[in-house]
């Protein structure tokens, strides 16, 4: 039998206005309905991944010293969405 899953991941890359990767940025992912918080840090390529998150709407914030905080709201996460 096949097991169904109701979790997925949010993936992204953080860059500065010139397009250069921002490493070491703190990324916070909050599930809007439950306020469940997950945190990670971007790697040397500016990439991040937050896996095993529930489906639904999220708010993502990114912070790094020397940069203005970025906040993205209403990110709807669905199975197999990219």
């Amino acid at each position: 039998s096949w097991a169904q899953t109701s979790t997925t991941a949010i993936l992204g890359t953080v860059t500065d206005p010139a397009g250069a990767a921002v490493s070491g940025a703190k990324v916070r992912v909050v599930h809007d309905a439950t306020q469940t918080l997950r945190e990670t840090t971007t790697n040397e390529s500016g990439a991040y991944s937050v896996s095993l998150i529930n489906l639904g709407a999220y708010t993502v914030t990114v912070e790094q010293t020397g940069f203005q905080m970025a906040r993205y709201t209403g990110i709807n996460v669905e199975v197999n969405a990219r």
Side-chain angles (χ1 to χ4, degrees):
S1 80
W2 293 92
Q4 281 191 316
T5 181
S6 61
T7 61
T8 189
I10 291 180
L11 312 166
T13 303
V14 178
T15 57
D16 68 14
V22 177
S23 64
K26 181 183 265 188
V27 180
R28 291 185 179 100
V29 177
V30 178
H31 187 268
D32 293 343
T34 65
Q35 294 301 300
T36 302
L37 169 67
R38 297 280 302 276
E39 294 181 318
T40 191
T41 304
T42 59
N43 66 16
E44 64 279 351
S45 300
Y48 68 90
S49 173
V50 179
S51 58
L52 299 175
I53 61 171
N54 292 320
L55 306 179
Y58 283 82
T59 297
V60 176
T61 57
V62 180
E63 293 182 272
Q64 174 62 304
T65 303
F67 292 91
Q68 182 177 0
M69 182 186 78
R71 186 169 193 240
Y72 305 92
T73 60
I75 298 171
N76 291 310
V77 177
E78 301 171 352
V79 174
N80 295 326
R82 293 218 173 237

